[in-house]
Amino acid sequence: MQSVKEESTAREARLIDGRQAASRLRAAIAAEVAQLGRDHGAVPGLAVVLVGADPASEVYVRAKGRAMREAGMESHEHRLPADTAQETLLALIDRLNADDRVHGILVQLPLPAQIDTQAVIQAISPDKDVDGFHVLNVGRLALGQQAFVPCTPRGCLMLLRQVLGDLTGKEAVVIGRSDIVGKPMAQLLLGQNCTVTLAHSRTRDLPAVCRRADILVAAVGRPEMVRADWIKPGATVIDVGINRIERDGTSRLTGDVDFAAARGIAGAITPVPGGVGPMTIACLLQNTLDAFRISRRRAAPCHPSSERKPS
């Protein structure tokens, strides 16, 4: 199925339509969840934990809950006050780890200052770590083993595969070395047999490094930092950045790439909004479905091959 939208002007890059790709993925997940409900009388469940009332976090939690319900999954929301003690939050995670109705656990970040974020992340069962932040999932990804992958880089890879197909031999540059996007994105691209450079604030002559890239992933959180002359003609550009800027008295969202200028150079590019963002929530649904499958496999009775069958 065609995943990019051809533009009428040949000189312009193709738009990588993240909304369309996410809609297809969510529809496929919803169909599988409905079948699971019919076959097994159970569906995937995600527990989302929100500590405090950060406005942006509130928006994200509502969007995730709505997406879960639209896919036919169970959404379990746990809202705690901003002054919640770390021990209280860890006790809730212990209960969720033991709850068979909960297949995925997501603790909305950032957490209040009195809570050690890493202690909370590592307390989540690796088999329910749908954010892909637990050290075991990070290690498994680095070793090329089956792991939960953070949702944003997983979505980026899906878009790249839909646009380019086989990525073998492509030169990829990832700008930004965060644990949430940059590092796992680099590992995923290595797993696709790309030659990968992970660039960052200390990289020498960053524009020249970027100009080598067949695939350029920008994930730095700096509005329009990547200029058109940083981009190799025909390259595929994935813009992960979501930045709110004020221009001419109006507030608008922009990415880490100068989209208007880059579109005349790149072969394909994600817009902001409407590119990577929709894929992030779709991949959260996919990770939750994967967690459900893992729980079903572990719950299945074992039938050793040496066991004598009744005559």
Side-chain angles (χ1 to χ4, degrees), residues 180-284:
I180 296 173
V181 179
K183 290 176 183 175
M185 188 76 244
Q187 294 291 346
L188 287 173
L189 289 166
L190 280 171
Q192 297 294 309
N193 301 312
C194 294
T195 299
V196 181
T197 300
L198 184 57
H200 46 78
S201 59
R202 304 293 178 87
T203 299
R204 293 181 182 176
D205 198 356
L206 180 58
V209 171
C210 293
R211 280 192 288 270
R212 301 199 309 255
D214 304 306
I215 296 168
L216 181 61
V217 181
V220 287
R222 292 179 57 186
E224 299 179 348
M225 184 186 86
V226 177
R227 317 303 297 179
D229 63 357
W230 294 26
I231 298 169
K232 178 181 178 179
T236 300
V237 179
I238 303 292
D239 190 350
V240 181
I242 301 179
N243 312 286
R244 187 166 291 281
I245 62 170
E246 297 285 336
R247 185 168 291 167
D248 300 326
T250 6
S251 173
R252 68 182 183 89
L253 291 178
T254 187
D256 292 346
V257 178
D258 182 351
F259 178 81
R263 200 169 174 199
I265 304 296
I269 187 170
T270 56
V272 176
V276 172
M279 288 297 291
T280 297
I281 289 185
C283 287
L284 174 62

Side-chain angles (χ1 to χ4, degrees), residues 58-75:
E58 290 272 7
V59 171
Y60 294 144
V61 167
R62 283 197 299 271
K64 289 166 183 173
R66 184 168 58 251
M68 295 295 295
R69 291 186 290 273
E70 288 174 356
M73 298 183 179
E74 292 183 354
S75 178

Side-chain angles (χ1 to χ4, degrees), residues 1 28 37 54 76 80 94 96 101 105 114 139 166 173 183 199 202 209 211 224 269 283 310:
M1 183 178 291
D54 176 75
H76 308 275
L80 304 175
D94 282 344
L96 296 174
R101 300 172 306 152
I105 302 171
Q114 77 274 12
D166 185 8
V173 172
K183 290 176 183 175
R202 304 293 178 87
V209 171
R211 280 192 288 270
E224 299 179 348
I269 187 170
C283 287

Side-chain angles (χ1 to χ4, degrees), residues 113-190:
Q114 77 274 12
I115 297 176
D116 181 345
T117 298
Q118 279 304 313
V120 171
I121 289 171
Q122 303 314 319
I124 297 170
S125 165
D127 289 340
K128 296 189 178 187
D129 170 38
V130 290
D131 261 338
F133 296 163
H134 193 284
V135 67
L136 285 181
N137 282 315
V138 173
R140 288 167 182 161
L141 177 61
L143 292 172
Q145 298 176 0
Q146 185 174 5
F148 284 110
V149 177
C151 301
T152 297
R154 184 173 187 179
C156 292
L157 181 61
M158 286 182 177
L159 292 176
L160 286 168
R161 291 292 306 272
Q162 289 174 20
V163 173
L164 298 173
D166 185 8
L167 306 184
T168 297
K170 302 285 188 188
E171 182 149 5
V173 172
V174 179
I175 314 173
R177 52 180 167 177
S178 73
D179 295 336
I180 296 173
V181 179
K183 290 176 183 175
M185 188 76 244
Q187 294 291 346
L188 287 173
L189 289 166
L190 280 171

